[in-house]
Amino acid sequence: MAMIIDAHLHLWERQQGRVDGKPVVALREGRSDFGGEIRQMMPPYMLEGRNTAEMLIANMNYAGVSGCVVTQEYIDGNQDRYLLECKKRYPKRMKICCLYEEKEIDSEWIRQFDGIKICAGRLKDPDLLQHRAIFEKADREGKFISIDLVEGELQVGAMEKLIEAYPDLRIAIGHFGMVTVEGWEKQIALARHKNVYVESGGITWLFHKEFYPYPSAIQAIAKAIEICGAKKIMWGSDYPRTMTAITYDMSKDFIEKTSLLSEEDKQKLLGENAKGFYGFSDLEIPERIKNMVE
């Protein structure tokens, strides 16, 4: 059984974020007040609005996922302190990101994390060159950058300049380049650079109208392989938001079950690439427990 690593998911103890300047607050039964509109933010069994590491690990064990990368989003609020607690409990299975909020982050603080998350599509100043300092600091501290670019090509040119300025900096382009928006291939092409990879967190959300088994998502993955190669693409679930429509296991098994990708490419996408990029070691493959419906 091949090792599987989730390159894009979220955790929070208490959701206190913002969207367009309005608060995002968890309610009950997986719902959140999303800037004045009630949204089903999590599966309904997350009764108290707590998206905990323990629930995640249970899902990972069930789905046979060995390790994960916990990224962040402004809509959830800064979860730095909670993620540090999670990493203490599951040090081998988790890589965690601190959240960049358009202000300087102390180097001592950054050193406690594995990477830095930049929500580039939500920056007040979308010019990435104005945020050069955080790239320089990540490079100096040996951390990776997890970045969700604004949809389309708007930030691709600036991103290219930063990649060239810091050629040894590991950068993961999130949300599969916002694959359903024109210009997504330009974001994918950034992974032609040595230390730049692409992760698919949110791809089931982007193709949600098509729904499982997401044939257009598979076609997009095949196109991305043509652009940058299978060795540069990593699977991500975007847990728990995408679990309002599908199960955690379904977020990857549409890749496992497709006949349009080779078994070798599937292994790269689902685990091998992420293991090398993020530096996972000593991971174990969870024991598979027979399901009651089998």
Side-chain angles (χ1 to χ4, degrees), residues 179 200-212 214 217 235-238 241-243 245-246 250-252 254:
V179 61
S200 72
I203 197 169
T204 60
W205 151 59
L206 292 166
F207 287 101
H208 73 280
K209 290 182 179 179
E210 183 178 84
F211 202 61
Y212 183 91
Y214 307 105
W235 166 70
S237 69
D238 209 10
R241 278 182 270 274
T242 48
M243 274 70 260
I246 58 176
M250 289 167 71
S251 71
K252 67 172 177 59
F254 78 98

Side-chain angles (χ1 to χ4, degrees), residues 60-109:
M60 289 171 60
N61 288 342
Y62 175 79
V65 177
S66 297
C68 68
V69 181
V70 189
T71 181
Q72 296 202 53
E73 239 283 5
Y74 291 162
I75 63 176
D76 302 322
N78 190 305
Q79 302 295 324
D80 284 7
R81 294 189 182 280
Y82 180 59
L83 297 190
L84 288 173
E85 294 177 13
C86 296
K87 183 69 180 283
K88 287 180 181 178
R89 296 201 291 275
Y90 306 101
K92 293 183 179 180
R93 300 189 73 175
M94 286 186 182
K95 301 290 183 181
I96 60 173
C97 298
C98 60
L99 182 62
Y100 173 63
E101 298 181 277
E102 296 189 72
K103 59 185 179 182
E104 185 175 357
I105 309 177
D106 181 74
S107 293
E108 289 296 325
W109 186 252

Side-chain angles (χ1 to χ4, degrees), residues 101-143:
E101 298 181 277
E102 296 189 72
K103 59 185 179 182
E104 185 175 357
I105 309 177
D106 181 74
S107 293
E108 289 296 325
W109 186 252
I110 288 176
R111 288 181 192 127
Q112 300 178 83
F113 296 82
D114 302 291
I116 302 168
K117 175 60 184 283
I118 302 176
C119 303
R122 299 188 188 276
L123 293 172
K124 294 176 183 177
D125 185 347
D127 182 0
L128 292 179
L129 297 179
Q130 299 303 313
H131 305 276
R132 187 186 187 103
I134 194 62
F135 288 85
E136 191 279 330
K137 188 166 287 188
D139 184 52
R140 187 174 66 244
E141 298 296 335
K143 307 301 179 181

